[in-house]
Structure formats: C-alpha cells, structure tokens
Amino acid sequence: MLNNKIAQNHKSRIEKHHIEDFIGRSYMSFCVLLLIVAIISMVYFVMSKGISTFVVDKVSVSDFFFGTKWSPEGSNPSFGALPFIAGSFVTTLLAALIASPLSICAALFMTEIVPGWGKKLLQPVIELLSGIPSVVYGFVGLSVIVPFLRNVFPGQGIGVAAGSIVLSVMILPTITSVTVDALSALPQNLKESSFALGATRWQTIARVIIPTTLPAILTGVVLGMARAFGEALAVQMVIGNAPFIPKSLFESASTLTSVITLGMGNTTMGSPQNNSLWSMALVLMLMTFLFVFIVRLLEKRRAI
C-alpha cells in the first residue's frame, strides 16, 4: 500500500511536470508568434506606405533617390531625397570614424592595460553614457559643440560636423561594450603564448588580440552605425535641417530621420508628401535590415 502511494505521488508529479512544461511551451510559442506577427505587420505597413510614392503618385524611382530638389508642395512638386540620404550616410560614417578609435582604445585600456581599477572606473561611465536621453545629447551639442565650432571654424556652427560629433558620443558606449565583451572572452592562453614567444604587451595587442577579435569589434562598429543612422532628435537639434547636399562639414544639412520627424505631423495621410516621408521610412528600414545582415556575416566569421 505504501508502494502504491509512492507510485501515485510520483505519477502526480510527472503529470504536474508535463502540465507545467506544456504551459511554458505554449506561452513561449505564443510570444514568438506574436513577435513574428508584429514584425511582419510592421514591415508590410511600412512597405505598403513606402511604395505608394512610386505606385500611386507616379514619382520616378530615379527622381526620388537621385533628385536633389525637395519641394513636395506647390504646383510643380519635387521629391528628391538624395540630400537627406547623403546627410544620413555622411553623419553616420563620420560618427563611426570618430567613435571607433576612442571606443577600441577605451576597451583595450579597460581589459588589457589596467584590467583592475580601470574597468571598475570606466564601466559605470560607459553605462551612464548609454542611458542618457537623446534630447540631452542634442541640448549639450547645441549649447557646447555648436558655439565651439562657430568660434573656431567658419560657419554658424550647426551642420554635419556638429551632428557627427554628437552621434559619435552617442554610439561610443555601444562600440565600447561590444569590444569589451569580445576582449574579455579572448582565451587567456592565447595571450600567454604570445608573451612566452617574447612579444611585448603592445605587440601582443597589435598582432594577436586585435586581429583575433576584429570581427567582434566590427560588429560593435556596425551596431553603433545602425543606431547613428536611425537617430533623429539629437541630430535634428544641431544639423540645421537644410534640404541641400552639404559641400563642407560646417554647412547645414538634413537626414532622413530629421525630415520624417519634422514633416510627418504636418502632412495629411495619403498625400504625396506624406507618402514620400513613408518612402524615406522604408529606406531607413531597409538600411536596418542591411546592418543586421552585416552583423550576422561578422558573427558567422567570428564563429569560424
């Protein structure tokens, strides 16, 4: 009788375990399905709105992507988005060029030079930078960077240079964090082998550590560029928002995100101007997909 009671208790525990497992798998499947539906719905909505410029309004694809005149209102509207596309790419690339060396050097300092107190000192600073709202970066850029550029360089201070500097500070925590994780995950015996062969610390960093972790470092750079490419408010406050292709770093320009945020609330849904803004949003989404694809390729290379 005792054995039967033990067997019944064991059976009830097994049944309870199966029920809990079924509930867990069902909840997880529901969450994954909901996420897939949300992503597909968002992509479909943006694509359906974005192609309306070319299907409904009959705007030429070449005029949209390579046109330099943006005048969606009036009797003879123009929908040239090249100035905004160029502004987004220029500011993003310059921000990556500024932030990448600083981020890599900070990560090397935290993990290789003084891994004890250096990491404890810099890690909270990096986390603090990543948690600051975009509007604060924009306000600091407008109050500090723009006056500095105005006093040192020709122009009014607002422009591509100011936007790139603000973006570089914003993406610095992303690149630094990814680089620190990559350097921390590097096998210790790899560095010890380099030291055993007579290499100095700097030779080990330059010829062993950086080449080995280069795919992961590039992943951080691409992730930082993805954030910079999609940033709106901070850039909007310091870039000038002029619908022209800048001829220098100190001239006003505009980006895709700034044009969308400034114009979307002032247009009528379904109008040609509104559809063109959705087309710019489609370009942003496609660029996001491209950044994700590049990250996947780099991760695959790192896995090999």
Side-chain angles (χ1 to χ4, degrees), residues 111-177:
T111 57
E112 302 298 331
I113 307 302
V114 281
W117 63 267
K119 190 172 184 179
K120 294 180 180 179
L121 177 64
L122 288 179
Q123 192 72 31
V125 177
I126 299 299
E127 295 175 355
L128 180 63
L129 287 176
S130 62
I132 297 176
S134 301
V135 65
V136 176
Y137 282 108
F139 183 75
V140 172
L142 194 62
S143 304
V144 179
I145 297 176
V146 171
F148 172 78
L149 295 177
R150 185 191 301 126
N151 296 329
V152 177
F153 300 99
Q156 298 298 319
I158 57 175
V160 177
S164 301
I165 294 173
V166 171
L167 282 179
S168 65
V169 179
M170 294 184 66
I171 67 176
L172 191 144
T174 301
I175 304 176
T176 304
S177 298

Short mmCIF file of all heavy atoms in Angstrom, two decimals, residues 111-177:
data_model
loop_
_atom_site.label_atom_id
_atom_site.label_comp_id
_atom_site.label_asym_id
_atom_site.label_seq_id
_atom_site.Cartn_x
_atom_site.Cartn_y
_atom_site.Cartn_z
N THR A 111 40.54 46.39 -20.41
CA THR A 111 40.74 44.94 -20.33
C THR A 111 42.20 44.50 -20.37
O THR A 111 42.54 43.43 -19.85
CB THR A 111 40.00 44.25 -21.48
OG1 THR A 111 40.47 44.80 -22.74
CG2 THR A 111 38.51 44.47 -21.37
N GLU A 112 43.07 45.31 -20.99
CA GLU A 112 44.44 44.86 -21.19
C GLU A 112 45.48 45.71 -20.44
O GLU A 112 46.50 45.18 -20.02
CB GLU A 112 44.79 44.87 -22.69
CG GLU A 112 43.88 44.00 -23.53
CD GLU A 112 43.96 42.54 -23.16
OE1 GLU A 112 45.03 42.09 -22.68
OE2 GLU A 112 42.95 41.83 -23.33
N ILE A 113 45.24 47.00 -20.33
CA ILE A 113 46.25 47.87 -19.72
C ILE A 113 46.13 47.84 -18.20
O ILE A 113 47.07 47.46 -17.50
CB ILE A 113 46.11 49.31 -20.25
CG1 ILE A 113 46.11 49.32 -21.77
CG2 ILE A 113 47.24 50.18 -19.71
CD1 ILE A 113 47.34 48.71 -22.40
N VAL A 114 44.98 48.26 -17.70
CA VAL A 114 44.74 48.23 -16.25
C VAL A 114 43.40 47.52 -16.01
O VAL A 114 42.40 48.17 -15.69
CB VAL A 114 44.74 49.64 -15.64
CG1 VAL A 114 46.14 50.15 -15.43
CG2 VAL A 114 43.98 50.61 -16.53
N PRO A 115 43.35 46.21 -16.16
CA PRO A 115 42.06 45.50 -16.06
C PRO A 115 41.45 45.53 -14.67
O PRO A 115 40.31 45.13 -14.50
CB PRO A 115 42.44 44.06 -16.44
CG PRO A 115 43.91 43.97 -16.17
CD PRO A 115 44.47 45.32 -16.42
N GLY A 116 42.18 45.98 -13.65
CA GLY A 116 41.63 46.02 -12.31
C GLY A 116 40.77 47.24 -12.07
O GLY A 116 39.55 47.23 -12.25
N TRP A 117 41.41 48.34 -11.66
CA TRP A 117 40.65 49.54 -11.32
C TRP A 117 40.15 50.27 -12.56
O TRP A 117 39.17 51.02 -12.48
CB TRP A 117 41.51 50.48 -10.49
CG TRP A 117 42.74 50.98 -11.21
CD1 TRP A 117 43.98 50.44 -11.19
CD2 TRP A 117 42.81 52.14 -12.04
NE1 TRP A 117 44.84 51.16 -11.97
CE2 TRP A 117 44.15 52.24 -12.50
CE3 TRP A 117 41.90 53.11 -12.44
CZ2 TRP A 117 44.59 53.24 -13.34
CZ3 TRP A 117 42.33 54.12 -13.28
CH2 TRP A 117 43.66 54.19 -13.73
N GLY A 118 40.80 50.05 -13.72
CA GLY A 118 40.37 50.74 -14.93
C GLY A 118 38.96 50.36 -15.34
O GLY A 118 38.14 51.21 -15.69
N LYS A 119 38.68 49.06 -15.30
CA LYS A 119 37.34 48.60 -15.68
C LYS A 119 36.30 49.05 -14.67
O LYS A 119 35.18 49.42 -15.04
CB LYS A 119 37.34 47.08 -15.81
CG LYS A 119 36.07 46.53 -16.44
CD LYS A 119 36.20 45.05 -16.73
CE LYS A 119 34.95 44.54 -17.45
NZ LYS A 119 35.06 43.09 -17.77
N LYS A 120 36.65 49.03 -13.39
CA LYS A 120 35.71 49.48 -12.37
C LYS A 120 35.41 50.96 -12.49
O LYS A 120 34.31 51.41 -12.14
CB LYS A 120 36.27 49.17 -10.98
CG LYS A 120 36.39 47.69 -10.67
CD LYS A 120 36.95 47.47 -9.29
CE LYS A 120 37.08 45.98 -8.98
NZ LYS A 120 37.65 45.75 -7.63
N LEU A 121 36.38 51.73 -12.99
CA LEU A 121 36.18 53.16 -13.13
C LEU A 121 35.41 53.52 -14.39
O LEU A 121 34.50 54.36 -14.36
CB LEU A 121 37.54 53.87 -13.13
CG LEU A 121 37.52 55.39 -13.32
CD1 LEU A 121 36.81 56.05 -12.15
CD2 LEU A 121 38.93 55.92 -13.47
N LEU A 122 35.75 52.87 -15.51
CA LEU A 122 35.17 53.25 -16.79
C LEU A 122 33.84 52.58 -17.08
O LEU A 122 33.02 53.13 -17.82
CB LEU A 122 36.16 52.93 -17.92
CG LEU A 122 37.39 53.82 -18.01
CD1 LEU A 122 38.28 53.38 -19.15
CD2 LEU A 122 36.98 55.27 -18.20
N GLN A 123 33.62 51.39 -16.54
CA GLN A 123 32.38 50.68 -16.83
C GLN A 123 31.14 51.47 -16.42
O GLN A 123 30.19 51.59 -17.21
CB GLN A 123 32.38 49.30 -16.15
CG GLN A 123 31.27 48.37 -16.61
CD GLN A 123 31.50 47.85 -18.01
OE1 GLN A 123 32.64 47.69 -18.43
NE2 GLN A 123 30.43 47.58 -18.74
N PRO A 124 31.08 52.05 -15.22
CA PRO A 124 29.90 52.86 -14.87
C PRO A 124 29.75 54.09 -15.76
O PRO A 124 28.62 54.52 -16.05
CB PRO A 124 30.15 53.25 -13.41
CG PRO A 124 31.11 52.24 -12.90
CD PRO A 124 31.97 51.91 -14.06
N VAL A 125 30.88 54.67 -16.19
CA VAL A 125 30.81 55.84 -17.07
C VAL A 125 30.20 55.46 -18.41
O VAL A 125 29.34 56.18 -18.95
CB VAL A 125 32.21 56.45 -17.25
CG1 VAL A 125 32.16 57.62 -18.23
CG2 VAL A 125 32.78 56.89 -15.91
N ILE A 126 30.61 54.33 -18.95
CA ILE A 126 30.07 53.86 -20.23
C ILE A 126 28.58 53.57 -20.10
O ILE A 126 27.77 53.93 -20.98
CB ILE A 126 30.83 52.61 -20.71
CG1 ILE A 126 32.31 52.93 -20.92
CG2 ILE A 126 30.21 52.06 -21.99
CD1 ILE A 126 32.56 53.99 -21.96
N GLU A 127 28.20 52.92 -19.03
CA GLU A 127 26.78 52.62 -18.82
C GLU A 127 25.97 53.90 -18.63
O GLU A 127 24.82 53.98 -19.07
CB GLU A 127 26.62 51.71 -17.59
CG GLU A 127 27.24 50.33 -17.79
CD GLU A 127 27.19 49.49 -16.53
OE1 GLU A 127 26.75 50.05 -15.49
OE2 GLU A 127 27.58 48.31 -16.57
N LEU A 128 26.56 54.90 -17.98
CA LEU A 128 25.86 56.18 -17.81
C LEU A 128 25.65 56.87 -19.14
O LEU A 128 24.58 57.43 -19.40
CB LEU A 128 26.67 57.07 -16.87
CG LEU A 128 26.08 58.46 -16.58
CD1 LEU A 128 24.75 58.33 -15.86
CD2 LEU A 128 27.07 59.29 -15.74
N LEU A 129 26.64 56.83 -20.02
CA LEU A 129 26.50 57.44 -21.34
C LEU A 129 25.40 56.78 -22.16
O LEU A 129 24.67 57.44 -22.89
CB LEU A 129 27.83 57.36 -22.09
CG LEU A 129 28.95 58.29 -21.64
CD1 LEU A 129 30.23 58.01 -22.43
CD2 LEU A 129 28.55 59.74 -21.80
N SER A 130 25.28 55.47 -22.05
CA SER A 130 24.26 54.76 -22.83
C SER A 130 22.85 55.01 -22.31
O SER A 130 21.89 54.80 -23.04
CB SER A 130 24.55 53.25 -22.80
OG SER A 130 24.49 52.75 -21.47
N GLY A 131 22.72 55.49 -21.08
CA GLY A 131 21.40 55.72 -20.52
C GLY A 131 20.92 57.16 -20.61
O GLY A 131 19.78 57.45 -20.23
N ILE A 132 21.76 58.06 -21.13
CA ILE A 132 21.36 59.46 -21.25
C ILE A 132 20.38 59.62 -22.42
O ILE A 132 20.64 59.11 -23.50
CB ILE A 132 22.59 60.36 -21.46
CG1 ILE A 132 23.51 60.27 -20.24
CG2 ILE A 132 22.18 61.80 -21.73
CD1 ILE A 132 24.79 61.05 -20.39
N PRO A 133 19.27 60.32 -22.25
CA PRO A 133 18.31 60.50 -23.35
C PRO A 133 18.91 61.29 -24.52
O PRO A 133 19.85 62.08 -24.34
CB PRO A 133 17.16 61.28 -22.69
CG PRO A 133 17.32 61.04 -21.23
CD PRO A 133 18.78 60.88 -20.99
N SER A 134 18.34 61.07 -25.69
CA SER A 134 18.85 61.72 -26.89
C SER A 134 18.73 63.24 -26.81
O SER A 134 19.60 63.96 -27.31
CB SER A 134 18.10 61.20 -28.12
OG SER A 134 18.26 59.81 -28.26
N VAL A 135 17.64 63.72 -26.20
CA VAL A 135 17.43 65.16 -26.15
C VAL A 135 18.53 65.84 -25.33
O VAL A 135 18.90 66.99 -25.62
CB VAL A 135 16.03 65.47 -25.56
CG1 VAL A 135 15.94 65.01 -24.11
CG2 VAL A 135 15.71 66.94 -25.70
N VAL A 136 19.08 65.14 -24.35
CA VAL A 136 20.17 65.72 -23.56
C VAL A 136 21.42 65.85 -24.42
O VAL A 136 22.12 66.88 -24.38
CB VAL A 136 20.44 64.85 -22.32
CG1 VAL A 136 21.63 65.39 -21.53
CG2 VAL A 136 19.21 64.79 -21.44
N TYR A 137 21.72 64.83 -25.22
CA TYR A 137 22.85 64.92 -26.14
C TYR A 137 22.66 66.09 -27.10
O TYR A 137 23.60 66.85 -27.39
CB TYR A 137 23.00 63.62 -26.92
CG TYR A 137 23.64 62.50 -26.16
CD1 TYR A 137 22.91 61.41 -25.72
CD2 TYR A 137 25.01 62.53 -25.88
CE1 TYR A 137 23.50 60.37 -25.03
CE2 TYR A 137 25.61 61.49 -25.18
CZ TYR A 137 24.85 60.43 -24.77
OH TYR A 137 25.44 59.40 -24.08
N GLY A 138 21.45 66.23 -27.63
CA GLY A 138 21.18 67.32 -28.55
C GLY A 138 21.33 68.68 -27.90
O GLY A 138 21.88 69.62 -28.49
N PHE A 139 20.85 68.80 -26.66
CA PHE A 139 20.95 70.08 -25.95
C PHE A 139 22.40 70.42 -25.63
O PHE A 139 22.82 71.58 -25.76
CB PHE A 139 20.12 70.03 -24.67
CG PHE A 139 20.10 71.31 -23.90
CD1 PHE A 139 19.34 72.39 -24.35
CD2 PHE A 139 20.86 71.47 -22.75
CE1 PHE A 139 19.32 73.59 -23.66
CE2 PHE A 139 20.85 72.66 -22.05
CZ PHE A 139 20.07 73.73 -22.51
N VAL A 140 23.19 69.41 -25.22
CA VAL A 140 24.61 69.65 -24.95
C VAL A 140 25.33 70.04 -26.25
O VAL A 140 26.17 70.95 -26.26
CB VAL A 140 25.25 68.41 -24.32
CG1 VAL A 140 26.77 68.56 -24.23
CG2 VAL A 140 24.67 68.15 -22.94
N GLY A 141 24.99 69.36 -27.34
CA GLY A 141 25.59 69.72 -28.62
C GLY A 141 25.24 71.13 -29.04
O GLY A 141 26.09 71.87 -29.55
N LEU A 142 23.99 71.52 -28.80
CA LEU A 142 23.55 72.86 -29.18
C LEU A 142 24.17 73.92 -28.28
O LEU A 142 24.39 75.06 -28.71
CB LEU A 142 22.02 72.92 -29.09
CG LEU A 142 21.33 74.11 -29.75
CD1 LEU A 142 21.59 74.14 -31.24
CD2 LEU A 142 19.83 74.06 -29.49
N SER A 143 24.46 73.58 -27.03
CA SER A 143 24.99 74.56 -26.07
C SER A 143 26.50 74.60 -26.03
O SER A 143 27.07 75.64 -25.67
CB SER A 143 24.46 74.24 -24.67
OG SER A 143 23.04 74.19 -24.66
N VAL A 144 27.16 73.51 -26.37
CA VAL A 144 28.62 73.43 -26.23
C VAL A 144 29.31 73.27 -27.59
O VAL A 144 30.21 74.06 -27.94
CB VAL A 144 29.01 72.26 -25.29
CG1 VAL A 144 30.53 72.16 -25.17
CG2 VAL A 144 28.38 72.44 -23.92
N ILE A 145 28.91 72.25 -28.34
CA ILE A 145 29.63 71.93 -29.58
C ILE A 145 29.40 72.99 -30.65
O ILE A 145 30.33 73.44 -31.32
CB ILE A 145 29.21 70.53 -30.08
CG1 ILE A 145 29.61 69.48 -29.06
CG2 ILE A 145 29.84 70.24 -31.43
CD1 ILE A 145 29.15 68.09 -29.41
N VAL A 146 28.14 73.41 -30.82
CA VAL A 146 27.83 74.40 -31.86
C VAL A 146 28.55 75.73 -31.61
O VAL A 146 29.18 76.28 -32.53
CB VAL A 146 26.30 74.59 -31.97
CG1 VAL A 146 25.98 75.77 -32.87
CG2 VAL A 146 25.65 73.33 -32.52
N PRO A 147 28.52 76.31 -30.39
CA PRO A 147 29.30 77.54 -30.17
C PRO A 147 30.80 77.35 -30.38
O PRO A 147 31.47 78.26 -30.89
CB PRO A 147 28.98 77.89 -28.71
CG PRO A 147 27.66 77.26 -28.45
CD PRO A 147 27.68 75.99 -29.23
N PHE A 148 31.33 76.20 -29.99
CA PHE A 148 32.76 75.94 -30.20
C PHE A 148 33.10 75.93 -31.68
O PHE A 148 34.08 76.57 -32.12
CB PHE A 148 33.15 74.62 -29.55
CG PHE A 148 34.55 74.18 -29.87
CD1 PHE A 148 35.63 74.76 -29.22
CD2 PHE A 148 34.78 73.20 -30.82
CE1 PHE A 148 36.93 74.37 -29.53
CE2 PHE A 148 36.07 72.81 -31.13
CZ PHE A 148 37.15 73.39 -30.48
N LEU A 149 32.32 75.21 -32.48
CA LEU A 149 32.57 75.16 -33.92
C LEU A 149 32.38 76.53 -34.56
O LEU A 149 33.09 76.89 -35.50
CB LEU A 149 31.64 74.14 -34.57
CG LEU A 149 31.86 72.67 -34.17
CD1 LEU A 149 30.83 71.78 -34.85
CD2 LEU A 149 33.27 72.21 -34.55
N ARG A 150 31.43 77.31 -34.05
CA ARG A 150 31.19 78.65 -34.59
C ARG A 150 32.38 79.58 -34.34
O ARG A 150 32.71 80.42 -35.18
CB ARG A 150 29.93 79.24 -33.97
CG ARG A 150 29.52 80.60 -34.56
CD ARG A 150 28.44 81.25 -33.74
NE ARG A 150 27.26 80.39 -33.67
CZ ARG A 150 26.68 80.02 -32.55
NH1 ARG A 150 27.17 80.42 -31.38
NH2 ARG A 150 25.61 79.23 -32.56
N ASN A 151 33.03 79.43 -33.20
CA ASN A 151 34.14 80.30 -32.85
C ASN A 151 35.45 79.87 -33.50
O ASN A 151 36.35 80.71 -33.70
CB ASN A 151 34.32 80.34 -31.34
CG ASN A 151 33.13 80.97 -30.63
OD1 ASN A 151 32.46 81.84 -31.18
ND2 ASN A 151 32.85 80.51 -29.42
N VAL A 152 35.59 78.60 -33.81
CA VAL A 152 36.86 78.08 -34.33
C VAL A 152 36.85 77.95 -35.85
O VAL A 152 37.85 78.26 -36.51
CB VAL A 152 37.19 76.72 -33.67
CG1 VAL A 152 38.47 76.13 -34.25
CG2 VAL A 152 37.32 76.87 -32.16
N PHE A 153 35.74 77.50 -36.42
CA PHE A 153 35.67 77.23 -37.84
C PHE A 153 34.67 78.18 -38.50
O PHE A 153 33.83 78.78 -37.83
CB PHE A 153 35.24 75.78 -38.07
CG PHE A 153 36.18 74.77 -37.49
CD1 PHE A 153 35.91 74.17 -36.25
CD2 PHE A 153 37.35 74.42 -38.15
CE1 PHE A 153 36.77 73.25 -35.71
CE2 PHE A 153 38.22 73.49 -37.62
CZ PHE A 153 37.93 72.91 -36.39
N PRO A 154 34.74 78.32 -39.81
CA PRO A 154 33.78 79.18 -40.50
C PRO A 154 32.38 78.59 -40.46
O PRO A 154 32.20 77.37 -40.41
CB PRO A 154 34.32 79.24 -41.94
CG PRO A 154 35.15 78.01 -42.08
CD PRO A 154 35.74 77.76 -40.74
N GLY A 155 31.38 79.45 -40.51
CA GLY A 155 30.01 79.00 -40.49
C GLY A 155 29.32 79.33 -39.18
O GLY A 155 29.87 79.99 -38.29
N GLN A 156 28.09 78.85 -39.05
CA GLN A 156 27.27 79.12 -37.88
C GLN A 156 27.40 78.07 -36.78
O GLN A 156 26.74 78.17 -35.75
CB GLN A 156 25.79 79.22 -38.31
CG GLN A 156 25.52 80.35 -39.27
CD GLN A 156 25.84 81.71 -38.67
OE1 GLN A 156 25.55 81.96 -37.50
NE2 GLN A 156 26.44 82.58 -39.45
N GLY A 157 28.22 77.05 -37.02
CA GLY A 157 28.39 76.01 -36.01
C GLY A 157 27.51 74.80 -36.24
O GLY A 157 27.94 73.66 -36.02
N ILE A 158 26.25 75.03 -36.63
CA ILE A 158 25.36 73.91 -36.91
C ILE A 158 25.72 73.32 -38.27
O ILE A 158 26.12 74.03 -39.19
CB ILE A 158 23.88 74.36 -36.90
CG1 ILE A 158 23.66 75.49 -37.90
CG2 ILE A 158 23.46 74.78 -35.51
CD1 ILE A 158 22.22 75.90 -38.03
N GLY A 159 25.60 72.02 -38.38
CA GLY A 159 25.95 71.38 -39.64
C GLY A 159 26.36 69.94 -39.44
O GLY A 159 26.10 69.32 -38.39
N VAL A 160 27.02 69.41 -40.45
CA VAL A 160 27.40 67.99 -40.45
C VAL A 160 28.40 67.69 -39.34
O VAL A 160 28.31 66.64 -38.68
CB VAL A 160 27.99 67.61 -41.83
CG1 VAL A 160 28.47 66.17 -41.82
CG2 VAL A 160 26.94 67.81 -42.92
N ALA A 161 29.35 68.57 -39.12
CA ALA A 161 30.37 68.32 -38.09
C ALA A 161 29.74 68.22 -36.71
O ALA A 161 30.06 67.31 -35.93
CB ALA A 161 31.42 69.44 -38.12
N ALA A 162 28.84 69.14 -36.38
CA ALA A 162 28.18 69.10 -35.08
C ALA A 162 27.35 67.83 -34.92
O ALA A 162 27.39 67.18 -33.87
CB ALA A 162 27.30 70.34 -34.89
N GLY A 163 26.61 67.48 -35.96
CA GLY A 163 25.80 66.26 -35.89
C GLY A 163 26.66 65.02 -35.75
O GLY A 163 26.32 64.10 -34.99
N SER A 164 27.79 64.96 -36.45
CA SER A 164 28.67 63.80 -36.37
C SER A 164 29.29 63.67 -34.98
O SER A 164 29.42 62.56 -34.45
CB SER A 164 29.75 63.89 -37.44
OG SER A 164 29.20 63.95 -38.73
N ILE A 165 29.70 64.79 -34.39
CA ILE A 165 30.30 64.74 -33.06
C ILE A 165 29.29 64.26 -32.02
O ILE A 165 29.60 63.42 -31.16
CB ILE A 165 30.87 66.12 -32.69
CG1 ILE A 165 32.03 66.48 -33.60
CG2 ILE A 165 31.33 66.15 -31.23
CD1 ILE A 165 32.55 67.89 -33.42
N VAL A 166 28.07 64.78 -32.10
CA VAL A 166 27.03 64.34 -31.16
C VAL A 166 26.74 62.86 -31.33
O VAL A 166 26.64 62.10 -30.35
CB VAL A 166 25.75 65.18 -31.37
CG1 VAL A 166 24.60 64.60 -30.55
CG2 VAL A 166 25.99 66.63 -30.95
N LEU A 167 26.64 62.41 -32.56
CA LEU A 167 26.38 60.99 -32.81
C LEU A 167 27.54 60.11 -32.35
O LEU A 167 27.32 59.00 -31.85
CB LEU A 167 26.12 60.76 -34.30
CG LEU A 167 24.74 61.14 -34.83
CD1 LEU A 167 24.66 60.89 -36.33
CD2 LEU A 167 23.64 60.37 -34.12
N SER A 168 28.77 60.59 -32.50
CA SER A 168 29.92 59.79 -32.08
C SER A 168 29.90 59.54 -30.58
O SER A 168 30.25 58.45 -30.11
CB SER A 168 31.21 60.49 -32.49
OG SER A 168 31.37 61.71 -31.79
N VAL A 169 29.49 60.54 -29.81
CA VAL A 169 29.39 60.36 -28.35
C VAL A 169 28.25 59.39 -28.02
O VAL A 169 28.36 58.58 -27.09
CB VAL A 169 29.17 61.71 -27.66
CG1 VAL A 169 29.04 61.53 -26.16
CG2 VAL A 169 30.33 62.65 -27.96
N MET A 170 27.18 59.42 -28.81
CA MET A 170 26.03 58.57 -28.54
C MET A 170 26.33 57.10 -28.83
O MET A 170 25.85 56.21 -28.12
CB MET A 170 24.83 59.03 -29.35
CG MET A 170 24.30 60.39 -28.96
SD MET A 170 22.82 60.85 -29.87
CE MET A 170 21.66 59.64 -29.24
N ILE A 171 27.12 56.83 -29.87
CA ILE A 171 27.39 55.43 -30.24
C ILE A 171 28.63 54.89 -29.55
O ILE A 171 28.90 53.69 -29.64
CB ILE A 171 27.52 55.28 -31.76
CG1 ILE A 171 28.78 55.99 -32.28
CG2 ILE A 171 26.28 55.81 -32.46
CD1 ILE A 171 29.00 55.78 -33.76
N LEU A 172 29.39 55.74 -28.87
CA LEU A 172 30.60 55.28 -28.20
C LEU A 172 30.33 54.16 -27.18
O LEU A 172 31.08 53.19 -27.13
CB LEU A 172 31.30 56.47 -27.55
CG LEU A 172 32.71 56.25 -27.01
CD1 LEU A 172 33.55 57.50 -27.25
CD2 LEU A 172 32.68 55.94 -25.51
N PRO A 173 29.29 54.25 -26.34
CA PRO A 173 29.03 53.15 -25.39
C PRO A 173 28.73 51.82 -26.09
O PRO A 173 29.13 50.76 -25.59
CB PRO A 173 27.82 53.64 -24.59
CG PRO A 173 27.83 55.11 -24.75
CD PRO A 173 28.36 55.37 -26.11
N THR A 174 28.02 51.85 -27.22
CA THR A 174 27.68 50.62 -27.92
C THR A 174 28.93 49.91 -28.41
O THR A 174 29.13 48.71 -28.18
CB THR A 174 26.75 50.92 -29.10
OG1 THR A 174 25.56 51.55 -28.62
CG2 THR A 174 26.38 49.64 -29.84
N ILE A 175 29.80 50.65 -29.08
CA ILE A 175 31.03 50.04 -29.62
C ILE A 175 31.94 49.59 -28.49
O ILE A 175 32.53 48.50 -28.54
CB ILE A 175 31.75 51.04 -30.54
CG1 ILE A 175 30.82 51.51 -31.66
CG2 ILE A 175 33.00 50.42 -31.13
CD1 ILE A 175 31.42 52.57 -32.56
N THR A 176 32.04 50.38 -27.44
CA THR A 176 32.91 50.04 -26.32
C THR A 176 32.44 48.77 -25.62
O THR A 176 33.25 47.88 -25.31
CB THR A 176 32.98 51.20 -25.33
OG1 THR A 176 33.42 52.38 -26.00
CG2 THR A 176 33.95 50.88 -24.20
N SER A 177 31.15 48.66 -25.38
CA SER A 177 30.61 47.50 -24.66
C SER A 177 30.84 46.21 -25.45
O SER A 177 31.26 45.19 -24.89
CB SER A 177 29.12 47.70 -24.39
OG SER A 177 28.90 48.83 -23.57
#
